Amino acid sequence: MSSIAPVLRRARIANSFAFGLQGFFLAVVLTELPQQKEQFGLSDGVIAVSVVLISLLAGGGSVLAERLALRWSSRAAVRIGLLLVAVTGSAAAFAPNTALLVAALGCYGIAVGIVDASTNMQAVFIQHGYGTFILSSFYAAWSAGTIAGALFVSGCETLEVPLRESLLVAAAIVLLLGWALGPGLLGARDAETSPTETAAPGPAVALRAYLTFGIAAAFVFAVDLAVGNWSALYLTEDLLAGSATAALAFAAYQGTSLVARAAGDALVRRFGPRTVVRAAAGTGVLGLALVVAAPSPAVAITGFLIAGAGLPVIAPLCFGAAGQLATGRELDALIARLNLFNYAGTLLGGGVVGVVAASAGHRAGFVLPLLFAVALIALSRVFGPRRAASAPTAPDPRETTAT
């Protein structure tokens, strides 16, 4: 592996930036919901329907990422997805009415699905090359991106930068960095090709393998999206915080998730996945209980901060576990299908929580994420006490030469 190490290092850096750019722009979109709501006169019900639509289309984007990876490579899928994120973000900035805004966000949902699935494909292939658990570091990069996005919005609000201009600047950042770093990702020769690869992926293997980890992933993403979609509105409408303060709730959640994910690889290697998942879920229960009971914005932000120290660690463990079950293009298909649980989770965290929030208030809406965190404690038993992170097969001799 010594001669391919530079390729892996470049790919790890490039893919970390891709995770970060995805998180950055998502945070910009979500933390600007109060401004979008005010500008277009949107109700919580309309926002909930929009989130459901975006989630469904993102699921389609994940399927499209599988096709792109099989046709070209997961590297091509990442680059196409980031381009579409920038383009659709710009379109949302110029939407003149609610209908076109929802249409632009729907197209953005497709782009999100492509990037989510393909960056996870890259992450698992890179982890296979390293031969040890490193997936949490990619999710730490995503968390860093979301923090940057939330603080970007807070800064724009403080400086009174118009909504359109702030979205355009965010889209430009994604476009330029995605274009510059994309070539560093693993191409088909370095990733999808493996010595045991068959002519086509084995969907039966993937369908059997991803289910148990997919359920856990769905609950994690449900909590993540509930915090992302509704934390700012909870603080502004239920706890009467200003929009700049409200953006800090998501930043607090992602801030501690960044620390937890940065430490996640070492924790998994030392204590094993099952113990880490159980402790992470218990921490999430504590934090979300504080959110539900919060009498003030400061207490709610503290609750989000505690929840972020636990729950976000679980998602990379789900993909890491699935990554042991296939290689080559078969792994592309498996990861893309596992990623569909991401959007099942967004339907719960964005749509169902939104429906409850619209009818009973945002405080009541956050009871559901609390219950999801409790369920994750029970699901921790599906993770092994110890697990190696390397691929189940030896590397392809062709992958010992940098390309």
Side-chain angles (χ1 to χ4, degrees), residues 50-391:
S50 300
V51 170
V52 170
L53 175 64
I54 292 170
S55 299
L56 291 173
L57 291 172
S62 185
V63 174
L64 180 57
E66 177 186 346
R67 306 316 305 167
L68 292 171
L70 294 176
R71 176 65 178 85
W72 292 299
S73 69
S74 53
R75 176 172 65 188
V78 172
R79 301 185 73 183
I80 291 170
L82 288 175
L83 173 63
L84 290 176
V85 163
V87 171
T88 55
S90 299
F94 284 94
N97 54 50
T98 301
L100 290 179
L101 173 66
V102 172
L105 291 177
C107 294
Y108 169 69
I110 295 174
V112 166
I114 295 173
V115 177
D116 277 347
S118 55
T119 51
N120 275 297
M121 293 173 195
Q122 284 278 318
V124 173
F125 284 124
I126 294 166
Q127 178 169 277
H128 283 183
Y130 271 81
T132 189
F133 192 88
I134 61 168
L135 253 101
S136 284
S137 67
F138 293 110
Y139 281 74
W142 187 90
S143 296
T146 60
I147 294 168
L151 294 177
F152 173 84
V153 172
S154 184
C156 288
E157 282 293 295
T158 301
L159 297 173
E160 299 183 349
V161 177
L163 177 63
R164 175 176 294 179
E165 282 73 5
S166 62
L167 278 172
L168 285 176
V169 171
I173 291 171
V174 172
L175 181 64
L176 293 175
L177 287 179
W179 175 80
L181 295 165
L185 297 167
L186 294 181
R189 183 179 178 185
D190 304 306
E192 278 84 359
T193 304
S194 77
T196 59
E197 181 184 345
T198 57
V205 173
L207 287 171
R208 290 194 305 268
Y210 77 179
L211 183 58
T212 53
F213 301 111
I215 294 171
F219 284 130
V220 174
F221 288 123
V223 175
D224 275 355
L225 263 292
V227 175
N229 284 0
W230 304 109
S231 61
L233 292 173
Y234 176 39
L235 265 70
T236 55
E237 297 188 2
D238 291 55
L239 301 178
L240 305 180
S243 57
T245 300
L248 297 178
F250 191 42
Y253 179 84
Q254 293 300 337
T256 49
S257 75
L258 171 61
V259 175
R261 284 169 167 171
D265 293 335
L267 291 173
V268 170
R269 290 193 290 264
R270 180 170 181 179
F271 298 107
R274 183 181 301 162
T275 299
V276 171
V277 170
R278 187 171 294 145
T283 303
V285 169
L286 176 62
L288 290 170
L290 192 58
V291 168
V292 171
S296 67
V299 175
I301 291 171
T302 301
F304 286 121
L305 184 145
I306 294 172
L311 293 169
V313 176
I314 301 173
L317 286 169
C318 297
F319 283 94
Q324 303 307 303
L325 303 171
T327 58
R329 295 190 181 275
E330 187 174 84
L331 182 55
D332 280 335
L334 187 147
I335 295 299
R337 292 165 187 161
L338 181 67
N339 195 60
L340 292 174
F341 284 93
N342 180 338
Y343 309 114
T346 63
L347 290 174
L348 291 172
V352 177
V353 171
V355 170
V356 175
S359 60
H362 298 95
R363 187 187 300 274
F366 274 104
V367 172
L368 288 179
L370 175 59
L371 295 176
F372 299 153
V374 172
L376 282 166
I377 295 177
L379 286 174
S380 64
R381 66 180 183 274
V382 306
F383 294 86
R386 300 279 176 184
R387 186 174 74 254
S390 57

